[in-house]
Amino acid sequence: MVERVKTGIEGLDKALNGGIPAKNLVLVSGGAGTGKSTLCMQYLVNGGKIYKERGLYISTEQSEGELKRQAEQYGWNVLELEEKGLLKIIYIDIIKENHFLERTREAIKNFKPKRLVIDSMSTMSDYMAVTDYSKQSWSVTSIQNTVIPQFFSEKLMSKKILSALISELKNFDATALLTTELPEEGKELSADGLSEFICDGVMVLECLGVGASVFRCLRIRKMRYTNHEKASMVYELTDNGIEFKEKEIKI
Ligand SMILES: Nc1ncnc2c1ncn2[C@@H]1O[C@H](COP(=O)(O)OP(=O)(O)OP(=O)(O)O)[C@@H](O)[C@H]1O
Ligand SMILES: [Mg+2]
């Protein structure tokens, strides 16, 4: 039987046939303000509160204070979870920090989380391209005893960086949510057009306008090692975080 990590969000766990298969790396894709960070924090808060599992939130977008302020809005007692050692928030300032991979690796090794969030994965891989990996954008090849430098295309560089990050993350025992920003009208599933192929799962958050109404929808586009709901599911951002409107979801 597949070991699963429950999000603790009613409706979503059902749509996932019981939860995210353990150790999956899942991309959370969506436009601005669709609720990506809320979903991620809720996953960790529920993990600590309900299942007593350690959660690590690595943020490149909002500071620790900002994330706590948003969590308070939803009535989540982040401080209590931190004191119990069930939650840790680390903010990596993209202006000051040059070694994302090192910082992330250290944090995961020290805290040993069961649940991991990287918010945002696209920011992290973009900056790794110009920091941690900038010196590796070329290699040498030898043709008839002549050494020739080979420069990688931007796409290949991105793939190398993402693959390095993902394979690092796979070495740990965590089940991870990794956010990526999408333009409103695009058909892409990630900011880089590659992560969705490398990651084990993809959940897409969308705002759909129907007449004068706007619906927020979550679609599980891909989830390795499990059956799952394929249709879009309507959710709301409420005072308690993300709530799914449809209680009965058929798979
Ligand atoms: N207490 C609340 N009740 C209802 N909705 C709220 C509440 N607090 C925040 N929201 C909604 O949540 C949205 C922000 O959610 P969140 O930060 O999780 O989105 P995001 O996808 O991470 O955004 P970004 O692209 O900026 O990172 C706000 O725009 C607002 O609509
Ligand atoms: Mg966010």
PDB file of all heavy atoms in Angstrom, residues 33 35-38 57 61-62 67 119 179 181, ligand 2:
ATOM      1  N   GLY A  33      -1.926  35.647  -6.131  1.00  0.00           N
ATOM      2  CA  GLY A  33      -3.033  35.696  -5.180  1.00  0.00           C
ATOM      3  C   GLY A  33      -4.012  34.548  -5.263  1.00  0.00           C
ATOM      4  O   GLY A  33      -5.121  34.630  -4.720  1.00  0.00           O
ATOM      5  N   GLY A  35      -3.666  31.693  -3.858  1.00  0.00           N
ATOM      6  CA  GLY A  35      -3.687  30.953  -2.594  1.00  0.00           C
ATOM      7  C   GLY A  35      -2.583  29.922  -2.457  1.00  0.00           C
ATOM      8  O   GLY A  35      -2.672  29.014  -1.616  1.00  0.00           O
ATOM      9  N   LYS A  36      -1.537  30.047  -3.251  1.00  0.00           N
ATOM     10  CA  LYS A  36      -0.436  29.062  -3.211  1.00  0.00           C
ATOM     11  C   LYS A  36       0.198  29.002  -1.817  1.00  0.00           C
ATOM     12  O   LYS A  36       0.351  27.927  -1.238  1.00  0.00           O
ATOM     13  CB  LYS A  36       0.649  29.427  -4.254  1.00  0.00           C
ATOM     14  CG  LYS A  36       0.155  29.505  -5.670  1.00  0.00           C
ATOM     15  CD  LYS A  36       1.259  29.856  -6.645  1.00  0.00           C
ATOM     16  CE  LYS A  36       1.845  31.242  -6.460  1.00  0.00           C
ATOM     17  NZ  LYS A  36       0.911  32.351  -6.742  1.00  0.00           N
ATOM     18  N   SER A  37       0.545  30.178  -1.290  1.00  0.00           N
ATOM     19  CA  SER A  37       1.219  30.216   0.015  1.00  0.00           C
ATOM     20  C   SER A  37       0.278  29.753   1.125  1.00  0.00           C
ATOM     21  O   SER A  37       0.706  29.099   2.077  1.00  0.00           O
ATOM     22  CB  SER A  37       1.728  31.625   0.313  1.00  0.00           C
ATOM     23  OG  SER A  37       2.575  32.045  -0.723  1.00  0.00           O
ATOM     24  N   THR A  38      -1.000  30.100   0.976  1.00  0.00           N
ATOM     25  CA  THR A  38      -1.987  29.668   1.973  1.00  0.00           C
ATOM     26  C   THR A  38      -2.069  28.143   2.012  1.00  0.00           C
ATOM     27  O   THR A  38      -2.019  27.530   3.081  1.00  0.00           O
ATOM     28  CB  THR A  38      -3.379  30.261   1.622  1.00  0.00           C
ATOM     29  OG1 THR A  38      -3.246  31.677   1.563  1.00  0.00           O
ATOM     30  CG2 THR A  38      -4.426  29.870   2.643  1.00  0.00           C
ATOM     31  N   TYR A  57       9.185  25.473   6.193  1.00  0.00           N
ATOM     32  CA  TYR A  57       8.717  26.384   5.155  1.00  0.00           C
ATOM     33  C   TYR A  57       9.892  27.261   4.740  1.00  0.00           C
ATOM     34  O   TYR A  57      10.359  28.085   5.511  1.00  0.00           O
ATOM     35  CB  TYR A  57       7.585  27.253   5.723  1.00  0.00           C
ATOM     36  CG  TYR A  57       6.741  27.968   4.692  1.00  0.00           C
ATOM     37  CD1 TYR A  57       5.365  27.755   4.624  1.00  0.00           C
ATOM     38  CD2 TYR A  57       7.299  28.873   3.805  1.00  0.00           C
ATOM     39  CE1 TYR A  57       4.567  28.413   3.695  1.00  0.00           C
ATOM     40  CE2 TYR A  57       6.513  29.527   2.863  1.00  0.00           C
ATOM     41  CZ  TYR A  57       5.150  29.295   2.824  1.00  0.00           C
ATOM     42  OH  TYR A  57       4.377  29.954   1.900  1.00  0.00           O
ATOM     43  N   GLU A  61       9.789  34.617  -0.913  1.00  0.00           N
ATOM     44  CA  GLU A  61       8.849  35.678  -1.307  1.00  0.00           C
ATOM     45  C   GLU A  61       8.494  36.588  -0.131  1.00  0.00           C
ATOM     46  O   GLU A  61       8.694  37.782  -0.185  1.00  0.00           O
ATOM     47  CB  GLU A  61       7.568  35.055  -1.869  1.00  0.00           C
ATOM     48  CG  GLU A  61       7.808  34.083  -3.002  1.00  0.00           C
ATOM     49  CD  GLU A  61       8.465  34.716  -4.212  1.00  0.00           C
ATOM     50  OE1 GLU A  61       7.797  35.490  -4.895  1.00  0.00           O
ATOM     51  OE2 GLU A  61       9.652  34.433  -4.461  1.00  0.00           O
ATOM     52  N   GLN A  62       7.918  35.988   0.903  1.00  0.00           N
ATOM     53  CA  GLN A  62       7.495  36.770   2.065  1.00  0.00           C
ATOM     54  C   GLN A  62       8.414  36.462   3.240  1.00  0.00           C
ATOM     55  O   GLN A  62       8.855  35.319   3.407  1.00  0.00           O
ATOM     56  CB  GLN A  62       6.056  36.393   2.444  1.00  0.00           C
ATOM     57  CG  GLN A  62       5.024  36.897   1.468  1.00  0.00           C
ATOM     58  CD  GLN A  62       3.669  36.264   1.711  1.00  0.00           C
ATOM     59  OE1 GLN A  62       3.459  35.099   1.413  1.00  0.00           O
ATOM     60  NE2 GLN A  62       2.763  37.020   2.284  1.00  0.00           N
ATOM     61  N   LEU A  67       4.669  36.048   6.742  1.00  0.00           N
ATOM     62  CA  LEU A  67       3.986  34.748   6.685  1.00  0.00           C
ATOM     63  C   LEU A  67       3.214  34.483   7.977  1.00  0.00           C
ATOM     64  O   LEU A  67       2.100  33.958   7.951  1.00  0.00           O
ATOM     65  CB  LEU A  67       5.000  33.624   6.440  1.00  0.00           C
ATOM     66  CG  LEU A  67       5.500  33.494   5.002  1.00  0.00           C
ATOM     67  CD1 LEU A  67       6.699  32.570   4.924  1.00  0.00           C
ATOM     68  CD2 LEU A  67       4.392  32.981   4.082  1.00  0.00           C
ATOM     69  N   ASP A 119       8.758  28.062  -1.337  1.00  0.00           N
ATOM     70  CA  ASP A 119       7.864  29.086  -1.876  1.00  0.00           C
ATOM     71  C   ASP A 119       8.696  30.348  -2.136  1.00  0.00           C
ATOM     72  O   ASP A 119       8.960  31.105  -1.248  1.00  0.00           O
ATOM     73  CB  ASP A 119       6.752  29.349  -0.840  1.00  0.00           C
ATOM     74  CG  ASP A 119       5.710  30.341  -1.327  1.00  0.00           C
ATOM     75  OD1 ASP A 119       5.686  30.648  -2.527  1.00  0.00           O
ATOM     76  OD2 ASP A 119       4.923  30.806  -0.486  1.00  0.00           O
ATOM     77  N   THR A 179       6.173  25.866  -4.961  1.00  0.00           N
ATOM     78  CA  THR A 179       5.291  26.774  -5.710  1.00  0.00           C
ATOM     79  C   THR A 179       5.967  27.315  -6.966  1.00  0.00           C
ATOM     80  O   THR A 179       7.185  27.432  -7.039  1.00  0.00           O
ATOM     81  CB  THR A 179       4.835  27.980  -4.851  1.00  0.00           C
ATOM     82  OG1 THR A 179       5.961  28.803  -4.573  1.00  0.00           O
ATOM     83  CG2 THR A 179       4.184  27.539  -3.562  1.00  0.00           C
ATOM     84  N   GLU A 181       5.001  30.372 -10.166  1.00  0.00           N
ATOM     85  CA  GLU A 181       4.045  31.409 -10.589  1.00  0.00           C
ATOM     86  C   GLU A 181       3.669  31.232 -12.057  1.00  0.00           C
ATOM     87  O   GLU A 181       4.532  30.985 -12.888  1.00  0.00           O
ATOM     88  CB  GLU A 181       4.634  32.813 -10.409  1.00  0.00           C
ATOM     89  CG  GLU A 181       4.848  33.210  -8.967  1.00  0.00           C
ATOM     90  CD  GLU A 181       6.224  32.847  -8.463  1.00  0.00           C
ATOM     91  OE1 GLU A 181       7.148  32.754  -9.290  1.00  0.00           O
ATOM     92  OE2 GLU A 181       6.366  32.630  -7.243  1.00  0.00           O
TER      93      GLU A 181
HETATM   94 MG    MG B   2       2.628  33.403  -2.249  1.00  0.00          MG
END
